Amino acid sequence: MNWWNELLANPAISEKLPEATLETLGMVAFASFWTALVGLPLGLVLHATGKGGTRPVPVLYVVLSALVNIGRAIPFIILIILLIPVTRAVVGTPLGWQAAVLPLAVGAVPFYARLVETSAREVAPGKIEAALMVGASRLRMTGGVIVREALPSLIAGFTVTVIALVGYSAMAGAVGGGGLGFLAITYGYQRFDASVMFAAVIVILAIVFLIQFLGDRAARLVDHR
Amino acid sequence: MITLQDLRKVYQTRSGEVVALDGISLEIPQGQIHGIVGQSGAGKSTLIRCLTALERPTTGSVIVDGAEVSALSEALLRQARRRIGMVFQHVNLFEARTAAANIAYPLAIAGVPRAQRAIRVQELLDLVGLGDRGDAYPAQLSGGQKQRVGIARALATEPAVLLCDEPTSALDSTTTRQILRLIRDVRDRLGITVVIITHETSVVREVCDAATLLADGRIVESGPLADVVTRPGSPLSQALVPVPDVGVGDQRALVQVSAGGAQAQIAHALHAIATEPDAHVVAGSIETLGGVRVGRWHLDVADGDRVAVLSRLRAAGLAIEDDAA
């Protein structure tokens, strides 16, 4: 267990790694929360206003769709920099993991909204008609039928999004957000301490595997098909 | 109960206008099981979508249970739809909900309190013969059981009208018969008006009191089965009681004759055909439709004798439907 003692003797690992892990988890958790909160309704609005939706509004759809495409097209690292003034205005500072939550959410919302739209489109139109035929309003039908019927797929999409957020969080870390990505880059790339980098990568891997495992479990739990 | 007045539905497509319904006027009285038959593309689906106001007619009106559904505002339409039950070909059950929860959904939408909902759901499950399968998810049910749940869901809010869009087209023949029996049973018990859209004439034979034949968006023929089947030359009757086409030799003609009414008239017709020396039966069928006996036969007649044979048969009360020669 010599190598293990050696790892623990490295303060970057014994002190900074747990801290960085918490920062990453914080960034991802809060950004995921906001992504679900905004991305889910946005995706449902895209579905409803699009061609063949329950309330087609071509103009609104085209505008929202364009915004979503732009949001997804801008490389994330550039998005963070573009958003610095906004982050400073909203959070008070562009630095720290709390500040990174904003650009992370802004980057993930369009991604998840598109996945939500696709999931909603997979709900058979007949089920939607069946709900409308018993007198359900569009809003109640959307919650009670589209979201419920698409839930396994919505959860799977959310899992993909959260994992993407873990990746994004490493980039956010590189520009002052802290977290595991920041740790791996400063020690591994700038100080040539490969063991810290490997340790950070292993923790990131563990986080990703855990998210995927939980996501699969949750999706299976609500899937009655 | 249902009144259609000069209903027209025109779709604008890139290649011009498509007239799906072209002046449909129809009256369906309360408690009737009315079949709407026709080839695919005849306008059946458009018609049922207009009845539910899932589509608005281009012109004309649709009145269901006293409400002109073709002219209602969205909020009023939601109210009116609770008086219309809909059964779909592909059932369209909510797969994330149990059978009981599927049936409870319309009740929840209608604002029925939870405790009452549970009682009503159990009544409906019993009505469709699935009293013990309430906890099953649709994926755990057979095709026939799913359609039973679909019917129970459609009946949940005690509608005045049950619209069935090809309710048995995805089912095997035994299950089809059970589902049709259930629909008739429901009508007998609840006095509900039923419209069945189908391309299967056997469905009409089995369960309907009246029928309408659609072709190219128009009504070809409509009426109670008892009237239709005794109407000589009736295209609907020919569709309902089909006789296989058969080839005949040179110098021979194939003649289609029919008779309808009481059993005595059928017996008389059979006797006339059997004793006719210059004609013999190559195919035929006798059925009971709408409480009326109806027979249809293809006769093989020598060309030279045709006129004499046909006049003798006509005198015996047979209708000459289709004189192939």
Side-chain angles (χ1 to χ4, degrees), chain B residues 68-275:
Chain B
E68 190 177 345
V69 295
S70 46
L72 290 178
S73 70
E74 190 123 346
L76 288 173
L77 182 60
R78 284 205 289 274
Q79 296 289 329
R81 277 176 174 164
R82 289 175 197 163
R83 303 283 295 149
I84 304 173
M86 176 96 187
V87 174
F88 301 87
Q89 176 177 3
H90 299 293
V91 198
N92 296 333
L93 292 183
F94 308 128
E95 286 167 286
R97 294 168 196 257
T98 61
N102 265 279
I103 301 169
Y105 184 74
L107 298 169
I109 295 293
V112 176
R114 196 173 285 272
Q116 270 169 269
R117 254 185 259 164
I119 297 167
R120 179 93 184 109
V121 166
Q122 193 54 49
E123 279 172 15
L124 286 157
L125 281 168
D126 290 336
L127 177 73
V128 299
L130 289 174
D132 56 343
R133 297 308 307 272
D135 292 333
Y137 283 94
Q140 298 162 326
L141 298 172
S142 71
Q145 288 173 327
K146 278 184 210 162
Q147 193 55 286
R148 283 167 188 274
V149 175
I151 291 170
R153 181 178 65 179
L155 294 172
T157 53
E158 298 179 348
V161 170
L162 186 66
L163 303 177
C164 309
D165 187 7
E166 302 272 6
T168 59
S169 301
L171 303 174
D172 62 56
S173 57
T174 313
T175 316
T176 293
R177 207 158 299 133
Q178 288 167 353
I179 292 292
L180 294 177
R181 206 172 298 145
L182 173 65
I183 290 174
R184 179 155 34 197
D185 191 39
V186 160
R187 188 275 312 263
D188 292 347
R189 278 204 235 178
L190 309 177
I192 196 171
T193 307
V194 183
V195 178
I196 303 179
I197 299 268
T198 183
H199 68 274
E200 299 168 304
T201 48
S202 62
V203 168
V204 177
R205 279 205 299 272
E206 200 123 349
V207 75
C208 291
D209 307 314
T212 296
L213 175 64
L214 283 189
D216 300 325
R218 292 200 185 92
I219 293 180
V220 176
E221 197 182 359
S222 181
L225 290 198
D227 296 356
V228 167
V229 293
T230 50
R231 213 177 271 164
S234 150
L236 187 49
S237 177
Q238 295 214 13
L240 294 177
V241 189
V243 175
D245 266 327
V246 267
V248 287
D250 284 344
Q251 314 293 311
R252 311 288 292 173
L254 190 65
V255 178
Q256 195 184 130
V257 298
S258 74
Q263 178 56 30
Q265 276 155 291
I266 299 295
H268 188 67
L270 279 171
H271 180 75
I273 294 168
T275 53

Side-chain angles (χ1 to χ4, degrees), chain A residues 5-46:
Chain A
N5 291 332
E6 233 169 79
L7 273 184
L8 290 184
N10 187 339
I13 289 177
S14 59
E15 287 162 31
K16 292 264 175 67
L17 189 64
E19 195 189 317
T21 305
L22 286 178
E23 285 171 354
T24 291
L25 290 175
M27 268 190 274
V28 172
F30 280 93
S32 299
F33 172 77
W34 288 108
T35 300
L37 205 69
V38 181
L40 181 66
L42 179 58
L44 293 172
V45 169
L46 278 172

Side-chain angles (χ1 to χ4, degrees), chain A residues 139-222:
Chain A
L139 197 64
R140 285 196 78 167
M141 180 281 297
T142 301
V145 176
I146 294 186
V147 171
R148 249 186 107 163
E149 293 293 310
L151 202 53
S153 161
L154 290 174
I155 290 176
F158 190 59
T159 308
V160 170
T161 308
V162 174
I163 287 173
L165 274 173
V166 175
Y168 286 173
S169 79
M171 276 190 259
V175 287
L180 290 165
F182 178 68
L183 188 75
I185 290 166
T186 41
Y187 282 84
Y189 180 67
Q190 288 162 354
R191 298 195 197 171
F192 304 106
D193 188 344
S195 64
V196 177
M197 190 173 68
F198 281 129
V201 167
I202 284 166
V203 175
I204 290 175
L205 278 179
I207 292 173
V208 167
F209 276 73
L210 184 70
I211 292 168
Q212 188 65 55
F213 172 76
L214 292 176
D216 287 346
R217 277 293 285 270
R220 214 171 315 132
L221 218 58
V222 298

